[in-house]
């Protein structure tokens, strides 16, 4: 059985005051056992690590460099995220593919850096509305994951997490129906079983795209949906706690 995760991607949001408020009000509210993670802005990771100490929330990054170190202005190395205490990094998010022109090969290099440094790679993929309407959803999503995982060996199911995030559902209020999402998740599961025969069933596949307290239960009820990667609804403690307890 794959583990369940609820991961908040805070994107470019939250002030220091709002972060302090989040961690003080979420205390004691995530009552279920589970894996509850938050990816704040890079400059807030240290603060979040401090504030999260008394909770069961793990902190990670929204991005990581594909290089070890050196003259890469503005980049952040996996080795330094790790030494700071970051547990994971998102990679392959559609916003970075679109606005920062990140390619599949680049994302694959980032995944390798994370694993080499003992961090968890949370790999995202998803189709645009145009691709879905052209009947290309499975082809696009499976190819993105295949490329991201190229030449990657894993020893256990905790090293990588996959997140299916249809681009048309991100921040739009439009969620994929549980059946639409499950169709893609089942195809991703088959790919994982092919790539990692011993671990395919145990790897977690999250759904992202307008997950909120009102639709989380029906999504999590699907056999291959092992949690959520959540933007907007992860920013307020009340709402994130509800998702974690779902
Ligand atoms: P929303 O939950 O705001 O749609 O964002 C999803 C997302 O992009 C998480 O990475």
């Amino acid at each position: 059985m794959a583990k369940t995760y609820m991961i908040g991607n805070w994107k470019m949001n939250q002030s220091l005051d709002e972060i302090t408020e989040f961690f003080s009000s979420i205390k004691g509210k995530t009552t279920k056992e589970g894996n509850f993670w938050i990816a704040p802005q890079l400059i807030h990771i240290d603060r979040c690590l401090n504030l999260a100490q008394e909770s069961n929330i793990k902190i990670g990054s929204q991005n990581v460099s594909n290089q070890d170190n050196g003259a890469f202005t503005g980049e952040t190395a996996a080795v330094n995220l790790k030494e700071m205490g970051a547990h994971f990094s998102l990679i392959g998010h559609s916003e970075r593919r679109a606005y920062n022109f990140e390619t599949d090969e680049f994302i694959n290099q980032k995944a390798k850096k994370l694993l080499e440094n003992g961090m968890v790679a949370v790999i995202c993929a998803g189709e645009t509305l145009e691709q879905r309407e052209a009947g290309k959803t499975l082809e696009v999503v499976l190819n993105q994951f295949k490329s991201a995982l190229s030449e990657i060996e894993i020893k256990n199911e905790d090293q990588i997490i996959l997140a299916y995030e249809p681009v048309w559902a991100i921040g739009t209020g439009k969620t994929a129906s549980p059946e639409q999402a499950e169709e893609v998740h089942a195809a991703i599961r088959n790919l994982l079983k092919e790539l990692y025969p011993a671990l395919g069933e145990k790897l977690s596949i999250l759904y992202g795209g307008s997950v909120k307290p009102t639709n989380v239960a029906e999504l999590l009820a699907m056999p291959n949906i092992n949690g959520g990667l959540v933007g907007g609804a992860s920013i307020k403690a009340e709402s994130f706690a509800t998702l974690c307890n779902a």
Side-chain angles (χ1 to χ4, degrees):
M1 266 289 279
K3 292 180 188 150
T4 306
Y5 292 83
M6 198 52 68
I7 306 184
N9 173 8
W10 282 357
K11 307 192 180 182
M12 205 167 71
N13 294 300
Q14 304 285 63
S15 66
L16 286 175
D17 283 349
E18 286 165 338
I19 289 171
T20 308
E21 165 63 21
F22 178 93
F23 284 101
S24 92
S25 47
I26 204 155
K27 230 178 256 164
K29 289 210 179 84
T30 50
T31 48
K32 280 212 172 167
E33 281 289 305
N35 301 286
F36 311 134
W37 297 2
I38 295 276
Q41 296 187 59
L42 194 59
I43 50 162
H44 292 153
I45 288 181
D46 202 35
R47 178 72 64 104
C48 288
L49 281 165
N50 277 314
L51 292 169
Q53 269 173 17
E54 286 171 37
S55 70
N56 51 354
I57 295 176
K58 287 200 165 102
I59 305 299
S61 166
Q62 297 173 16
N63 188 29
V64 64
S65 173
N66 67 332
Q67 303 289 329
D68 286 321
N69 56 25
F72 300 98
T73 303
E75 293 295 324
T76 307
V79 65
N80 302 116
L81 283 168
K82 175 73 181 176
E83 72 177 353
M84 185 183 251
H87 186 66
F88 68 97
S89 179
L90 307 181
I91 52 174
H93 195 283
S94 60
E95 286 153 16
R96 293 206 62 89
R97 291 180 194 259
Y99 307 140
N100 302 80
F101 312 105
E102 293 197 1
T103 62
D104 285 330
E105 191 189 352
F106 194 57
I107 292 158
N108 175 244
Q109 291 165 355
K110 291 179 180 217
K112 289 175 180 160
K113 290 298 164 219
L114 289 172
L115 298 189
E116 280 167 20
N117 287 284
M119 288 180 69
V120 183
V122 181
I123 307 169
C124 312
E127 83 287 5
T128 61
L129 187 58
E130 212 177 19
Q131 289 164 333
R132 172 162 283 266
E133 284 172 350
K136 296 210 161 104
T137 299
L138 294 183
E139 179 190 330
V140 168
V141 172
L142 296 181
N143 279 336
Q144 287 181 353
F145 281 131
K146 255 186 238 167
S147 311
L149 294 169
S150 164
E151 294 167 7
I152 289 194
E153 295 301 325
I154 49 170
K155 294 189 185 67
N156 64 63
E157 68 276 19
D158 298 326
Q159 290 180 287
I160 55 170
I161 295 171
L162 271 51
Y164 166 55
E165 298 204 306
V167 178
W168 49 271
I170 296 179
T172 57
K174 264 194 229 164
T175 322
S177 68
E179 294 73 23
Q180 272 176 325
E182 174 60 22
E183 183 195 4
V184 182
H185 281 235
I188 300 168
R189 176 74 63 209
N190 286 336
L191 171 69
L192 289 173
K193 288 198 277 194
E194 243 171 66
L195 295 176
Y196 306 108
L199 294 171
E201 287 284 5
K202 290 177 138 189
L203 288 160
S204 299
I205 311 170
L206 316 187
Y207 169 79
S210 300
V211 175
K212 37 191 182 250
T214 49
N215 62 20
V216 68
E218 57 183 26
L219 287 161
L220 292 183
M222 294 288 129
N224 288 294
I225 301 186
N226 312 118
L229 177 56
V230 189
S234 71
I235 286 179
K236 291 273 183 279
E238 283 289 333
S239 156
F240 188 61
T242 307
L243 296 176
C244 293
N245 295 331

